[in-house]
Each structure stands twice: as structure tokens, then as C-alpha cells.
């Protein structure tokens, strides 16, 4: 294996090096995933999410590239965990690439065995959009967080967070999207963060409006903005376990409480009460077991405060950081009295086949994305949170690599948008084809009992058949590249999920394929949730004439 | 759920009830799987292999049937563990049915969780050909066993077992195929079996020639036949652990030793030395732990004897019943000195893309199969073991349900046979279309570290990507029904594997689809083994121009 450090950049423009735009699309999205603007450690082929990679090693990368350059319009390349292993003759409506990432026979499906194979050069961790070549940078997490708060607003507050105060903690890699996601929904947010440098960074990138070290000041600002109906985000320096107790004692009305400290990792992700950053670093090195004891008991206080906010009438939810489990293990019996974010806010969307929909402009020209932004507002003029998201994203999100956009669309909407994009390409209104895909926080392609399929109504959380069927039907329907993965998001052993990308190149064949695959993909979400017994999904299935043989 | 006991029979004849022969083929194979001639407990929908089922329950069965009857030529039905969950529009060259059987997120992939879901009606164990609707009765196990002994003969004895004595034990459900498989290869076999009723049954069905209770008589017959170069099978009543020791003490030359007692289950599958059947039943009920202690130590003696035969010059191998592991746990350090049957005899075939190929006549007319028997002898006149198998099968195998045939064919051969069958259908030389599929003791579609992928050269035994890619590429290539399974053969947690069936209905589209899918399917086997570093596979890949981008 080469240890050579390489740098590659997103390819743009109207010249293609492959035998068709479909293969070129694959090539450009692979390069894009590894563009230094997009990827976290591109020199190691790591895109995001720990060690989520785009190719097994640089030799494999080169071979994928040269294979794509020679791949015919009726051939299909197979990728086994980041390495090209075969090319077969298929047909024009079949996918050009099929991928399987880090799938292990269950008994061996753990990090230990994975690392063994990885070190021998036999495997790669594909995460979700890293190994399926449709990562688009931080816009994804911002939009997901926005969508969660929008759904919460819809459920509890008449579609906007205007006039509400959200209290949260953690302004790290993902948590840093919270303040902007709340203000985009019109609300006020106080985000408690123990590390001043994290607060600074969010101020610089304009994800956060103001900061203070005073609880009183933060509360005063928040109450003022709430009364004025203004959106405002406030970074408050402090330890959440302590600050939350102080806020409780001050009797200010808090409407929403959640948390994105890295509670899932008690040794490295959570700072115990009473320790500065430096002190906690020292303690972590010198006495890790005391560290974990202290941080766990701080988390118990943290969750106890969250439960008290809930008793006081606030909407409280867990944002997938496992803090409830730690508190429960510390003896807080009611820790699971507040729900996880998927069952609370995302599942109702899944029941409508609503889920992530992202696209990238292969031309590399931002104007192509602005055109599609106009298109989406034209097609869905009554979808307020969507319009608000597009307007805000234009202002706040800077493109990384190939210009791209993400939003959430339901069954019927995805195919409508996809076909309209294909028309724009056909008519020459866009400079080059558009790639359409999604991530895996999705309705019908994921089995992940600690997140996407937590607490399914019928107890089918761990049933993986749905993810397999999603990959198979999208392959049959004619996606351009289809992937199947193990372990994305929650790690080895904990998830099975499938990816789908389709290319809108303006041809009639693309039209047919988009028509089919943008129907099957969200359709699987409705079928999966109808089967699990969700009334909403059954209703939508009937309403949209989705063919589910045993639907009662 | 209905508890009603139902009986269904294979549908035959030239009238169809579906909108095309492809859908009709699915329907007929589903019925065939559950024909009382074919299935073990058809009233419970159990086809074979413990609880391997064809549909989740009778309601699901009925819904699958009625959905098939209305399914259009450009639609695809999805089956989640035996239940139809959706129908989507695809296209004519796409599969008509896609199935996923008993797939669980790895951390939950155990029998306990499976049974929970099964009891709630949320899952079904699909085994291999049960849940993928291509089981054809006992011909399959006979042929697999025949092929193993043929490969052994090829490797060690100049292509025939003539003039050799094989010693084995166990004449149960699968082990009962051993005597006929050995005599079909021209050899002599002594099969030790503790249960006289099992021996009787094999005599009745002509799978076994003679029986005796005397070791001396058995040896005398065997030596006599060996000297005459005659094929002969002898059932010897006794306990293998004891009998093997006795035979060793008699100094008779044994050429081959294996075993098919149910050693994988020490409580129910193996009888300890010194216990009659009745006594062992009593002990099992009264004191199971003593039973396991005694049967395990008998197995240690059994394996010790096998090792001694090996030292004396015999070819010794494990037939996938885990007896080596039990002996090792009992302190027999050298237990793994003899190999498993896959690495020893099957893997070299896998490297050539050789694997199972079975077909069934939808007309129900045996003459259609005899026609294809003639065809195969015409196409492969030089393949002696194949011709021998076909001749013997015609004599010894009685059809169960729809007439069918199975044999092993390599890369290139499968597509040749498939297209030739399609021609016969086209020209009206066969009365109705033929269904072509395979089981999962296969080269490129299985990840099963205790069997099909035991001791892979590069240590990639547990890599499941290959099974996923097989299902995906066969879907893209246009199989008629494609399935993905977890836990077949070796149980929950231990395997991932994919099935493929294609219909030869004589049309041009079928020709194209067969051309592709009968190339991709064995092609995956060669790619998988070339990637794992087998020289033979690399050679064949080059020779056959299989497109493997990083082939060195
Ligand atoms: N389920 C999902 O889809 C989802 C989405 C986003 C985030 N998450 C979870 O949220 C968590 C945060 O993710 P991240 O990428 O932002 O992590 P990160 O490690 O980058 O950031 C965590 C932040 O919390 C701060 N912090 C730690 N202890 C604190 C305390 N006691 N008080 C105040 N601040 C404290 C740290 O200084 C750090 O800035 C993770 O557990 C992640 O898994 C889940
Ligand atoms: N890997 C493969 O593809 C493959 C193929 C065939 C069989 N097998 C294995 O072979 C074994 C047998 O399968 P089966 O379906 O025939 O099982 P089975 O339970 O139907 O038959 C086992 C037979 O062994 C006999 N027996 C038990 N203890 C004995 C002893 N001490 N001496 C003599 N006879 C004894 C029993 O009376 C019984 O007839 C299983 O472990 C199975 O998994 C594996």
C-alpha cells in the first residue's frame, strides 16, 4: 500500500472524461467527497464521521477512477468496501456502480474483527455518505437539525419556534448546528458550552449570534428576544450540569430542552462539574476511571435537571447522545421519561415517506443550484418550513466542493422535484447534469435500533430485511449507484442501511429511471412504517395508492 | 393468524393463472416448495432444514399467490421474511420478486431475538432454498454429496472411487445420501449407524445396498467388493466411536473417512458409547448434562480414531458437523489436523466458478427433464462425472413435485446450458418454460465462516460484502427472483447468503437476461476467490476474460 499523501479536488466544468455523464457523475462525486473543502482527513481518504472513507486506499482509488473512465453505458462496476472487484455487462437502465461497505457476518460484526480486516487491507468503514460518494459537507447536519426543530415546532408550537426559548448544551462538530437551526425556525436558544474556543468558532461562522459568561445576562437576553418575537442564539460559557440547575432555581420559563454534549463517550466527550478544560485533561490522563465516575455522576445531575424542566412543562428530548442511558446506569430511574428525537419528531415524517433529499451540480457552478432553489420554491410554494430553509441556506450556508443543496421531501414530492430537475437539464437551463441522492437518516432504508428504528411500534427495531429490500428495489428501479452498509452512525454491529444516488442528465432514460427510483425509495419508507402499524403511514399509503398487498 | 392446516400441491400443465410465465414460474415454485412430496412439514409451511419456511403464515401465502396472479410484467413484488410488503413499478428486465429472509441487525442476530420476532409474527427463517422458493427435495443433498466425493476422487484417486473403501457414520436426513453418493462414484462404503430404523429406511429407498450387525462381515464384504472393483454400500449397526476403534484394531486398509452424525448437537444428535437408543433417550431426559459429558467424550474417541486412520494413510475430512470442535474442547489438540470438506474439496471448484445449477420443468412433465438430460450430455460430452451423475440420477432419483434436475457447472457452462434450454423452450421442444436456479453451497454468494468460507486464504471468511454484491448484481442483471438471507445452514449469526432464480421462457428477453445473470452469478465466485488470492481463480479469470480491475 502507498503511504503517499495525496490531494484531489472536485472536478468541475462541461468536459467529461468518461463515456457518459452517468459515469462522470460517479467520478465527480468521488472526487468531491475527498476535496479538502469537503473531507475531514482527505489525505487518509477519510471523509467524515471518525474513519468513514471513500476508497480503501489510493491504489483502489486510482483503479476506481480508471475503471469509471472506461466503463460502458451498459456495464456495472462492483465495489467491495472501497475496492473495485469486478465489472459485469448489465444494461443501460441498470446502476453503473453497486457498492457494499463493511458488511460482516453478524457473529463477527464487531470493531475488533473489523479492525483486524481493515489493518490487513481487506475492509473499509464506509459510514453513510462517505463510502457511497454523496457526502456534501456540513450543510447536511445543519439541515437535519433544522428539520428536527421544524418538526418539533409543527408538533408543539404552530409551525414556528417564535416566542420560545430552547436550552441545550454542546457546540461541537454536530452540536454547533443547533443555534442556527433554532434561529432558522424563529426561536431563541441558549447553548451551554464549557469550551470557550468552541463558542468563538460558532460566532465566527455566524452559526451563533452572541455569547456571555453570565447566566443572568443570557436569561435576560433570551426573555427579551422571546417577548419581542425575535430569533436569537446565545452561547453561555459553563458546565451544563451546573448551569441547568442554576437556571431551574431562577424560575425562568424554558420551553424546549435537549443536549448535544458528547455524552456517548464519558471519558473523552463530557466534562465533569467543577473541572476546567485543563484540569479535566489532566485528570483524564492521570486517572481515567475517576474521570468516568465524575463525568457519569455529572450526567446524572444533568439529566435530573432535564427531567425537572420536563415536569415544569418544557418539551424535553434526547438528541442521540446516549445521556439517558448513562444517567439510568447511575440510578436515575426516570431517565427514559423523555423520548429520543427519532420517535418524537422524525418518525411521523418517516410515516409520510418524508426524508432527506440532496443534490449537487456537476457543472460546479453555484448558479445551477440557485436555479434549483428557485425551482423548489416554485414547486412547493405552500411548504413554509421548506421555503424558509432554502432562503436561510442561501444566506448562511457556504458551498463546499461541488455546489449542492439538501432538504426534506415526502413521497410524491421527491419524484416531482427529480423530474423537474431533469427537465431543466434537458432544456439547457442548467449547465450540466445534477446528481440526486440522500443520506441515511432515512425512512425506508435503515435498520438501526438505537436511532432510526428506536422503539418501533411493533418491536421490529432490529429487522434488517427492510434495508436489504431497499437496496434491491432501488437497483431494480434503476438508481445510478446503489450501496449497502453495515455500522454507519452507531458503529459496527448496530446498523444496516442502504444508499441511493440517481443522475438527472436530461435524457428520456433518466426520466424513466428517476420516475421509478424516486418512487420506490420513499415508498419503502411508507411500506415499512405501515407494516409496523403506524396509522399515519397506512393512511398515506391508501391516499397515495401505494401497493401494499396485506395493508388492512 | 390461521392455525388451519392446509395442503397445497405443485401446479402443473400448460394453462397459466398469472399475467406471464415469469410470474407463473414464481407461483409454481412456491406451490412446489410446499407440496407434500417435497416439503417436510408443509402444513406448517416448513420446507426443510429445521424450521426453514416458504411463507410466514397462510395469510401471507394467500396474499403472495393473489399478488402474483395480478402482477404485471413490469412490476416487482417485495417479500420481507415470507410476507409480501409492497409492489412497485420497475421494468420488464427487472426481477419480478425480491426477497429478504431473516436479516437482523448484527447485535440482535441470534436465535433468541429471532424467536421473539418469529413468535410475534414479524419474521420467518428462510433457510436457503425454502424461503427463496427453489427447493427440489432430496436430489439436492444427494448431488452435493456426490459432487464432494467426485471432487475427492479427482484430487486423490484418478477421478473415480473404484477400488476404495470409505468409512463414515450417520444415515440421517442428510447423511443418508452418503452411501449412494459413494457408489455413484464407483466406490465401496461402510456407514456406521446406531439406529436400525435409519438403516432400514435407506435400504427401502435403495440409497443403501446391504446391512449387517457384524464388523467382520462388513469388512469382508467391503474388501471383496474393493478387490472386484465393484461399487457397494454397507450399513453397519453400531456406535461409530466404538466401531471405528474396532476396525482400526483389525488392520484393514480404509481409504477415506468422514462423518455425518449430528455432532453439532451433543444433546440430541449424538449417541454416547455404551448406550442403546432407549437408554440414551432416558438419560437425555433425566440428566441432560451427564448426557452431554458422555456424548462429548465419545466424540473425542471418535475423532481420535479418525486421526489414527489419517496417520495410517487414509484421506480424512470433516463434513460440516462440528465434530472437530467438540473433540478439541475435550482436549484432543490435533482435532483440526484433518480439514473441513469445503477447503479440501469444494473450494477448488469454487475457484472455477463451479457450483450448483438446478432446474425444474414447469409443465410438470418428466419428459421435459429427460430432454434437458439429453441436452446436458450433448453439450458437455467430455465431463465424465457429470454424465455419470445424470445417468445415475435418472435411475436412482425419483422426482418429487415438479420434475427437476441438479448438477454442478462452471463459469461459461451455466450460461451455455441456460441459453440452450431457452432455445428448446422457444422451439417448442419442451412443453413449457424451465426455471433455473441454485442452492447456497455456492462460490460467489455466500459468507459462512464455518462452512462455505472456512479458512479463506486471506482470512476474509467473515466478509459479507460479497453476498450483498451477488444479490445486487444479479438484480441488475435481471434474474427473475433474487433473495438475500441470514443464517441459512449454520444458524442465526453465522451466515449471509444470496439466492438467484431465472426463468427460461423462450423469449428474446429471457435470452438476454439469462446471458447476463448466468454470467454475473458464477463470475462473482471467481472474482471473490481471485480477490482472496487463489491462483486458480486468478488464472480462470484471465482465461475467461473476467473483468477484475485490480487483478494482478
Ligand atoms: N443521532 C443523531 O443523529 C445525532 C446528531 C447530532 C449529534 N448527535 C450526538 O450529539 C453529540 C455531540 O456531537 P458532536 O459531533 O457535536 O460532538 P463533539 O464532541 O464535537 O462536541 C461536544 C461538545 O460538548 C461540550 N461539552 C462536554 N461536556 C460538557 C458539559 N458538561 N457542559 C457543556 N458542554 C460540554 C464539549 O466541550 C464539546 O464542544 C454526540 O454524542 C453525537 O453522537 C447525534
Ligand atoms: N456442511 C454441509 O453442507 C453438510 C451437509 C450434510 C450434513 N451436514 C452435517 O452432518 C450432520 C448430519 O446431518 P443429518 O441431517 O443427516 O442429521 P440427522 O440428525 O438426521 O442424522 C444423524 C444420524 O447419526 C446417527 N448417530 C448419532 N450418533 C451416532 C453414533 N455415535 N454412531 C453412529 N451413528 C450415530 C443418528 O442415529 C442419526 O441417524 C449434521 O451435523 C449436519 O449439519 C453438513
Amino acid at each position: 500500500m502507498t503511504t503517499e499523501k495525496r490531494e484531489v479536488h472536485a472536478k468541475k466544468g462541461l468536459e467529461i472524461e468518461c463515456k457518459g455523464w452517468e459515469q462522470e457523475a460517479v467520478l465527480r462525486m468521488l472526487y468531491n467527497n475527498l476535496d479538502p473543502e469537503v473531507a475531514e482527513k482527505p489525505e487518509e481518504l477519510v471523509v467524515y464521521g471518525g474513519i468513514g472513507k471513500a476508497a480503501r486506499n489510493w491504489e483502489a482509488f486510482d483503479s476506481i477512477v480508471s475503471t469509471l473512465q472506461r466503463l460502458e453505458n451498459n456495464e456495472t462496476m462492483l465495489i467491495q468496501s472501497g475496492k473495485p472487484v469486478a465489472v459485469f455487462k448489465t444494461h443501460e437502465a441498470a446502476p453503473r456502480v453497486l457498492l457494499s461497505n463493511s458488511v460482516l457476518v453478524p457473529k463477527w460484526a464487531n470493531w475488533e474483527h473489523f479492525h483486524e480486516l481493515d489493518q490487513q487491507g481487506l475492509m473499509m468503514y464506509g459510514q453513510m455518505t462517505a463510502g457511497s460518494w454523496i457526502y456534501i459537507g456540513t450543510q447536511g447536519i445543519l439541515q437535519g437539525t433544522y428539520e428536527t426543530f421544524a418538526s418539533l415546532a409543527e408538533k408543539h408550537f404552530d409551525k414556528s419556534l417564535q416566542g420560545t426559548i430552547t436550552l441545550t448544551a454542546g457546540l461541537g462538530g454536530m452540536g454547533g448546528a443547533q443555534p442556527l437551526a433554532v434561529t432558522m425556525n424563529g426561536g431563541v436558544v441558549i447553548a451551554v458550552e464549557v469550551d470557550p474556543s468552541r463558542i468563538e468558532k460558532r460566532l465566527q461562522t455566524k452559526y451563533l449570534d452572541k455569547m456571555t459568561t453570565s447566566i443572568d445576562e443570557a436569561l435576560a437576553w433570551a426573555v427579551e428576544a422571546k417577548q419581542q418575537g425575535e430569533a436569537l442564539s446565545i452561547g453561555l460559557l459553563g458546565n451544563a450540569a451546573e448551569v441547568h440547575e442554576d437556571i431551574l432555581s431562577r424560575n425562568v420559563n424554558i420551553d424546549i430542552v435537549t443536549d448535544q454534549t458528547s455524552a456517548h463517550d464519558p471519558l473523552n466527550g463530557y466534562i465533569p462539574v467543577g473541572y476546567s478544560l485543563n484540569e479535566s485533561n489532566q485528570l483524564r490522563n492521570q486517572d481515567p476511571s475517576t474521570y468516568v465516575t465524575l463525568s457519569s455522576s455529572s450526567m446524572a445531575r444533568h439529566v435530573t435537571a432535564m427531567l425537572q424542566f420536563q415536569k415544569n412543562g418544557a418539551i424535553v428530548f434526547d438528541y442521540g447522545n446516549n445521556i439517558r442511558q448513562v444517567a439510568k446506569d447511575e440510578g436515575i430511574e426516570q431517565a427514559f421519561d423523555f423520548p429520543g428525537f427519532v420517535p418524537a419528531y422524525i418518525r411521523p415524517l418517516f410515516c409520510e415517506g418524508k426524508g432527506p433529499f440532496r443534490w449537487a451540480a456537476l457543472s460546479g457552478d453555484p448558479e445551477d443550484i440557485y436555479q434549483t432553489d428557485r425551482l423548489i420554491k416554485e414547486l412547493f410554494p405552500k411548504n413554509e418550513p421548506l421555503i424558509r430553509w432554502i432562503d436561510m441556506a442561501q444566506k448562511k450556508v457556504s458551498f463546499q466542493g461541488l455546489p449542492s443543496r439538501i432538504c426534506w421531501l415526502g413521497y410524491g414530492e421527491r419524484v416531482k422535484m427529480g423530474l423537474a430537475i431533469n427537465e431543466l437539464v434537458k432544456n439547457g437551463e442548467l449547465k450540466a447534469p445534477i446528481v440526486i441522492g440522500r443520506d441515511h437518516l432515512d425512512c425506508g432504508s435503515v435498520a438501526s435500533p438505537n436511532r432510526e428504528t428506536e422503539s418501533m411500534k411493533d418491536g421490529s427495531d432490529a429487522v434488517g430485511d427492510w434495508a436489504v429490500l431497499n437496496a434491491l428495489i432501488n437497483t431494480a428501479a434503476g438508481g445510478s449507484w446503489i450501496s449497502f452498509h453495515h455500522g454507519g452512525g452507531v458503529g459496527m454491529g448496530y446498523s444496516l442501511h442502504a444508499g441511493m444516488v440517481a443522475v438527472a442528465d436530461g435524457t428520456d432514460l433518466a426520466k424513466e429511471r428517476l420516475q421509478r427510483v424516486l418512487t420506490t425509495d420513499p415508498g419503502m419508507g411508507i411500506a415499512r412504517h405501515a407494516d409496523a402499524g403506524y396509522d399515519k403511514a397506512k393512511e398515506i399509503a391508501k391516499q397515495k395508492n401505494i401497493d401494499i398487498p396485506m395493508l388492512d
Side-chain angles (χ1 to χ4, degrees), chain A residues 491-522:
Chain A
M492 289 295 136
Y494 289 93
S495 62
L496 294 173
H497 42 107
M500 186 284 294
V501 188
V503 178
D505 64 4
T507 60
D508 288 346
L509 182 59
K511 183 177 163 182
E512 272 174 39
R513 291 169 67 181
L514 287 165
Q515 172 88 55
R516 292 194 297 253
V517 79
L518 293 178
T519 302
T520 55
D521 190 41

Side-chain angles (χ1 to χ4, degrees), chain A residues 141 145 169-176 192-195 198 202 238-241 259-265 268-273 277 298 302 319-322 341-342 441 450-452 489:
Chain A
I141 183 69
T145 314
L171 291 174
M174 297 202 275
V192 182
E193 167 59 62
V194 74
D195 180 349
R198 297 292 181 116
R202 301 304 158 200
N239 189 302
D259 186 57
Q260 283 199 40
T261 58
S262 276
H264 71 272
D265 185 347
N268 304 292
Y270 195 90
I271 311 291
V273 172
L277 274 184
S298 292
H302 189 155
Y319 213 128
N321 66 353
N322 219 29
F341 77 113
V342 172
L441 176 62
N450 286 342
R451 234 158 85 173
E452 283 80 359

Side-chain angles (χ1 to χ4, degrees), chain A residues 10-15 28 32 35 37 362-365 401-403:
Chain A
K11 289 173 181 277
K12 304 179 176 180
L14 308 185
E15 301 278 305
R28 290 194 184 190
N32 191 56
D35 189 295
E37 275 180 40
L362 294 174
S363 65
D365 188 334
L402 292 177

